[in-house]
Amino acid sequence: MTPHDPAPDRRLPQALRDLAERARKAQVGAGPRAAACFARCFADTWLTSMRPTADGDVFVITGDIPAMWLRDSAAQVRPYLPAAADPEVGGVLRGVLRRQVRCVLIDPYANAFNVTADGAGAGYPDEPRPGPRIWERKYELDSLCAPLQVGYALWRATGSLEHVDEEFARACRAVLKVMRTEQDHEARSSYTFRRVGGPAAGDTLPRGGRGAPVAVTGMSWSGFRPSDDRCAYGYPVASNALAAVSLHGLGELASAAGRAALAAEASALSAELAAAVRAYGTMAHQGERVYAYEVDGLGGALLMDDANVPSLLSLPYLGWCTPDDPLYLRTREAVLGPANPWFFQGRAARGIGSPHTPESFVWPIALAMQGLTSSDRDEKLRLLELLAATDGGTGLMHESFHVDDPTRFTRPWFGWANAMFSELWLDLAGLSPTPLYPALPGA
């Protein structure tokens, strides 16, 4: 199978075809090129990237990397949530959640997994050596939020609590244990990561793989960012905000399912993380407060943003705050301009890139997120058209592209970016998916 060719036995269910047709007919205002992109991007994950298994779950590859990232797979299925009440669509989404849950139970510190226990991995001699079902063992706080998000969204979309079984509850308890442990990384955590040899050795965490020093703040530590790049400081602010929101949703979900102890523990940790972000997660910029990208509780703070979600740009999308929140608006202005070292502009586009990709490459994920967090419909439509115009002639989104030449791009097959373009179209069409994220109290 070549990239973007549907598997022979895959078809788009009628419920998803109906959803795509409603979206196409909506008065979005986009041109034919954007419409063609939507049709192809919307179907992409379902037709090319899902792998039902004999164990009754569904493995979702990212695209041109044959591994399943918890974070990516949650984003890839999000555009299908408006049709989740359909038995076929809902059954597949529950299968994806079941696989996410089983991945967490294999190793809650891993970020990406193999479809079988074949020992395939990222190809680097990492220490400690990951198990045979693990593609990569970079600990990323936001990854643990993925099954919580999908579990909450399925409940909201269908009203069903069928997926809140004992296996789901065990995975949630594992998530809570890790997040609690990493609130005091220095004293309580045994996690280390070292990547030996070659250019990728830069992924090794300092201090023998433990990461740079941090103080106890109430936030939860993370070794790596949503980009899979190591953290400069130990507390990524947007990831902690996402964790607070996701745990709040778990509290609601577990309470509805009659799991009172799990609900109480999730709600308590949510409140702690939210309070810590508000107390420690900002910094001074041009005489005002903005959210920092990362902090360490020792006075270190980083002003930047990265295209990968969770990001500072995405905070309203995550349910952390409203789009008109003054602190968010100041942060948004900073990260969508020269104060952010990963903001680039050129003849074809301007937007947020990442240290994960070359300089002057912007990410469609960030452009879509800029649209999804905007209160201005004209800006949303402009960004949708821009994304279609910078597809490099492929009819699909990519990881990143050069701001002067969109035919220079990274990753020809990237399911997450295709899903984000689809979600922006659905947003403009008034068909936004049921939230993966509940609104946090006080947002």
Side-chain angles (χ1 to χ4, degrees), residues 38-77:
F38 170 70
R40 197 170 184 196
C41 288
F42 179 79
D44 183 65
T45 286
W46 193 280
L47 296 181
T48 71
S49 304
M50 291 180 164
R51 306 286 188 269
T53 76
D55 295 327
D57 56 34
V58 179
F59 190 88
V60 184
I61 66 172
T62 68
D64 51 19
I65 300 176
M68 179 168 170
W69 268 256
L70 297 178
R71 167 188 56 252
D72 293 39
S73 59
Q76 285 172 260
V77 302

Side-chain angles (χ1 to χ4, degrees), residues 297-314:
L298 299 167
L302 186 59
L303 178 59
M304 61 163 277
D305 204 17
D306 187 281
N308 290 264
V309 181
S311 59
L312 298 181
L313 182 64
S314 70

Side-chain angles (χ1 to χ4, degrees), residues 364-378:
I365 286 175
L367 292 169
M369 185 55 65
Q370 185 179 342
L372 286 164
T373 53
S374 174
S375 301
D376 183 344
R377 181 180 174 82
D378 289 341

Side-chain angles (χ1 to χ4, degrees), residues 70-110:
L70 297 178
R71 167 188 56 252
D72 293 39
S73 59
Q76 285 172 260
V77 302
R78 183 177 169 97
Y80 305 136
L81 283 166
D86 174 76
E88 182 178 0
V89 176
V92 170
L93 297 188
R94 282 190 292 274
V96 173
L97 173 61
R98 194 174 301 119
R99 185 63 179 220
Q100 291 179 333
V101 161
R102 290 169 178 172
C103 287
V104 169
L105 291 173
I106 290 168
D107 186 348
Y109 279 96

